[in-house]
Amino acid sequence: KKSGPEIAKELACVIKKPSFIKSINIAGPYINFFVNYEKLAKNLLQKIYAEKGSYGKQNIGKNKTIVMDISSPNIAKPLGIGHLRSTVIGGSLYKIYKALGYKTISINHLGDWGTQFGKLIYAYKNWGNLKDLRKNPIKHLLFLYVKFHQEVKDNPKLDDLAREEFQKLENNDKKNLEMWKEFRRLSLEEFDKIYKILKIRFDSYNGEAFYVSKLEKALEVLKKKTETKMSEGALIVDLDDYGMPPFFAIKSNGTSSYHLRDLAAALYRFDQYKPEKLLYVVGIDQKLHFEQLFKVLDLMGMNKNRFVHVDFGMFAFKDGKMSTREGKTIALEEVLDESIKLSKKILEEKKSQIKNIDDTAKKIGIGAVIFNDLSTDRIRNVIFDWSKMLSFDGDSSVYLQYTYVRCCSILEKAKKEQKLSPEINVGFEYKSKEEIALIKQLSLFQEMIIKSAETYKPSYLANYLIDLAKVFNEFYNNCRVLSGTEKEMKNKVLLVFCVSQVIKNGLALLGIETVDKM
Ligand code: ARG
């Protein structure tokens, strides 16, 4: 309840002046900081130059662990575009937290258990065959799944038969277990193709099935610490007081639930990794599921601030193209293929002289899909608009990759024509407003990494990079790098080098590669 000027005065006294601040003065309720740009540039550019690919790394996460549940597709179903969002957002958060010094554990919580496997096993026994399964596993499994749902309409008894098959599976029936293993193995092989393209690795593939042996213990703890009750044959935790439907531990047919498996997983992960935070990178459509789960964990006495549902919106196509027959799931592979094809076409239209056009098109195409996702605030729906995604001068990864290429060619030219390479014994006298703006923008990189981590939003970093490229292109258009005195040229060459390094490191944190030529 103090006045503005009073607060300003007090603050100004306690703020520790960083070396690049010349002076601090108070003007009424404002505190003004006067920057010594020579000092700032020197500290900053020397650090970037010295650390190169490691620039951005910090140690605020030292001795802390972050566990993240990412990707987590369902066995026997195609990897959907929602799983792409989880993989891409989670993959980037993984890199961001690692850069901040955290120990990071990524878990692919595969949907490899549940009543649907009873249906699948029933369907396979009746209508499936090994040849089709091996040839195109997901296609065949999807066919069986759809077929089951068609047949059950005329013959409701099938539901009981499927449940029996699942119960047999839960009781370790040898034949059913073998079938399930094969479905899982073959599906995972398909998923891995995409993970390879996206260069995503997981520290663990412990999916829902992994926790089956841990359900009994979880149930025991649940019963001890909360008030469970039977309701219409199911074991539940009533969450009425919190305005939520009940948490189902055991379903009325006696089988375990998705809820219970997640509860067992949470307990196991805490025990195993002792994480600072446990992130669930899962679409917003599962918001209620996680609210219920976290509430129950809270009732069990776990610190609820450690659990975070990193939720995200869905996808929409601007031109209506590429929607699939089933409507709901859009096959990821199609999207990536399309993006790579379009990138190649663009390179060809631009009469690109590069030799490795396929490789470059791949980096551009995959980068565009990733960046389109990550530059959107994750809560919002991602719009698929190819012309925007692959634009050389819009808010796209191509724009960033292109800016990086521009930096590389300036550096190459400097070396060839002026025998100048970036080095740090320069003067650091940056005077033009474009140079100053660029230094200011560069100085925000480390902070943006922290901000992205704190909010679980790589979009801050993505949009920061776009701003950096814009400021750089202002500079490029107005200040000729290879003109002026040798000292001035050296200063500018170092600046260009640092911009290229920050773009490269920033893109790497998003999971996107740069190319040297386009
Ligand atoms: N397999 C689920 C799905 O595709 C996502 C799992 C998310 N993770 C979790 N711990 N529940 O909808």
Side-chain angles (χ1 to χ4, degrees), residues 69-74 83 109-111 208 258 262 265 269 280-282 285-286 289-290 293:
D69 184 313
I70 65 175
S71 199
S72 311
N74 300 321
H83 298 117
H109 188 77
L110 294 171
E208 295 187 44
Y258 180 47
D262 248 331
R269 289 167 185 173
Y280 295 86
V281 187
V282 186
D285 51 331
Q286 294 195 29
H289 168 76
F290 286 106
L293 176 67

Side-chain angles (χ1 to χ4, degrees), residues 326-513:
E326 297 84 25
K328 210 170 136 72
T329 49
I330 298 163
L332 190 49
E333 228 169 331
E334 278 175 41
V335 174
L336 291 170
D337 282 348
E338 177 84 358
S339 189
I340 295 169
K341 247 202 296 198
L342 286 170
S343 303
K344 187 169 172 184
K345 212 172 113 204
I346 291 173
L347 287 174
E348 281 164 356
E349 276 164 11
K350 288 204 180 288
K351 308 233 174 323
S352 171
Q353 299 293 324
I354 51 173
K355 281 175 244 127
N356 48 352
I357 189 157
D358 282 315
D359 188 49
T360 305
K362 208 168 152 184
K363 286 180 180 159
I364 293 175
I366 292 165
V369 174
I370 296 177
F371 192 84
N372 185 50
D373 190 317
L374 292 182
S375 58
T376 311
D377 187 318
R378 63 178 160 74
I379 306 297
R380 306 210 342 239
N381 291 347
V382 169
I383 310 283
F384 249 85
D385 174 354
W386 290 117
S387 63
K388 183 178 160 260
M389 282 165 70
L390 294 171
S391 143
F392 272 64
D393 48 18
D395 298 350
S396 65
S397 50
V398 192
Y399 175 59
L400 295 175
Q401 285 163 324
Y402 188 60
T403 303
Y404 179 81
V405 166
R406 180 170 272 171
C407 291
C408 291
S409 76
I410 296 170
L411 294 172
E412 202 176 299
K413 209 166 147 198
K415 195 167 173 184
K416 228 169 148 181
E417 291 177 10
Q418 306 284 343
K419 308 243 171 325
L420 285 179
S421 294
E423 48 165 303
I424 46 170
N425 51 347
V426 291
F428 301 102
E429 295 120 348
Y430 295 101
K431 291 267 159 29
S432 72
K433 71 175 197 305
E434 289 85 358
E435 287 168 328
I436 300 269
L438 204 42
I439 288 162
K440 270 194 199 171
Q441 185 66 15
L442 279 175
S443 74
L444 297 176
F445 181 56
Q446 304 223 23
E447 223 173 288
M448 278 304 154
I449 300 174
I450 296 175
K451 189 162 181 180
S452 292
E454 279 174 347
T455 55
Y456 317 107
K457 287 184 179 181
S459 52
Y460 282 110
L461 183 58
N463 291 306
Y464 161 81
L465 291 175
I466 292 287
D467 288 341
L468 175 63
K470 282 184 184 154
V471 178
F472 173 78
N473 285 309
E474 264 310 281
F475 161 80
Y476 175 80
N477 290 329
N478 295 318
C479 312
R480 284 212 45 200
V481 176
L482 299 183
S483 73
T485 65
E486 178 165 332
K487 210 167 151 190
E488 283 165 351
M489 282 195 284
K490 272 185 168 174
N491 273 335
K492 284 183 277 188
V493 165
L494 178 64
L495 196 52
V496 172
F497 172 80
C498 289
V499 171
S500 75
Q501 190 68 61
V502 168
I503 290 179
K504 188 178 180 131
N505 295 2
L507 281 175
L509 289 174
L510 302 177
I512 301 171
E513 292 177 89

Side-chain angles (χ1 to χ4, degrees), residues 144-360:
L144 290 174
Y145 198 72
V146 171
K147 170 111 177 139
F148 182 89
H149 282 277
Q150 278 164 355
E151 298 283 327
V152 81
K153 274 189 215 145
D154 300 328
N155 185 4
K157 248 187 34 220
L158 291 190
D159 259 336
D160 296 326
L161 296 173
R163 214 162 320 165
E164 272 168 34
E165 294 291 1
F166 181 58
Q167 245 150 16
K168 270 163 74 184
L169 182 64
E170 285 213 304
N171 295 326
N172 290 325
D173 175 84
K174 198 166 157 251
K175 187 134 188 255
N176 283 12
L177 207 57
E178 239 166 52
M179 246 180 243
W180 169 82
K181 267 193 192 146
E182 191 67 356
F183 296 164
R184 187 184 190 273
R185 185 182 70 79
L186 291 168
S187 301
L188 209 51
E189 255 177 37
E190 294 292 300
F191 300 157
D192 273 335
K193 284 186 204 157
I194 305 266
Y195 295 145
K196 220 165 146 188
I197 298 177
L198 294 172
K199 298 213 160 90
I200 295 276
R201 276 192 46 256
F202 300 94
D203 297 307
S204 160
Y205 281 93
N206 286 344
E208 295 187 44
F210 175 78
Y211 300 100
V212 170
S213 64
K214 297 167 178 55
L215 295 178
E216 216 163 303
K217 200 169 145 228
L219 209 51
E220 208 176 286
V221 187
L222 180 73
K223 281 180 181 162
K224 211 164 91 191
K225 300 213 170 162
T226 68
E227 272 179 47
T228 53
K229 65 176 190 192
M230 293 303 289
S231 166
E232 292 168 29
L235 185 76
I236 62 159
V237 180
D238 194 335
L239 298 177
D240 220 21
D241 284 353
Y242 311 100
M244 285 184 251
F247 176 95
F248 276 78
I250 302 286
K251 297 201 263 187
S252 54
N253 61 28
T255 56
S256 66
S257 67
Y258 180 47
H259 269 149
L260 186 63
R261 289 190 288 275
D262 248 331
L263 183 73
L267 297 177
Y268 175 83
R269 289 167 185 173
F270 260 88
D271 199 45
Q272 187 76 8
Y273 304 112
K274 316 239 171 339
E276 175 87 358
K277 288 253 163 83
L278 177 45
L279 313 184
Y280 295 86
V281 187
V282 186
I284 196 153
D285 51 331
Q286 294 195 29
K287 194 173 165 73
L288 179 62
H289 168 76
F290 286 106
E291 277 172 358
Q292 291 173 302
L293 176 67
F294 297 172
K295 189 74 229 169
V296 168
L297 286 162
D298 183 29
L299 293 173
M300 288 168 76
M302 312 270 292
N303 181 346
K304 71 167 188 286
N305 296 330
R306 297 194 182 236
F307 301 92
V308 185
H309 178 199
V310 179
D311 56 355
F312 52 81
M314 292 296 143
F315 264 84
F317 281 88
K318 191 180 167 243
D319 50 11
K321 251 186 7 199
M322 288 202 62
S323 58
T324 53
R325 296 142 305 253
E326 297 84 25
K328 210 170 136 72
T329 49
I330 298 163
L332 190 49
E333 228 169 331
E334 278 175 41
V335 174
L336 291 170
D337 282 348
E338 177 84 358
S339 189
I340 295 169
K341 247 202 296 198
L342 286 170
S343 303
K344 187 169 172 184
K345 212 172 113 204
I346 291 173
L347 287 174
E348 281 164 356
E349 276 164 11
K350 288 204 180 288
K351 308 233 174 323
S352 171
Q353 299 293 324
I354 51 173
K355 281 175 244 127
N356 48 352
I357 189 157
D358 282 315
D359 188 49
T360 305

Side-chain angles (χ1 to χ4, degrees), residues 69-95:
D69 184 313
I70 65 175
S71 199
S72 311
N74 300 321
I75 295 299
K77 298 226 180 102
L79 209 88
I81 213 98
H83 298 117
L84 167 73
R85 290 216 70 190
S86 174
T87 310
V88 164
I89 296 169
S92 174
L93 288 175
Y94 185 85
K95 295 186 179 90

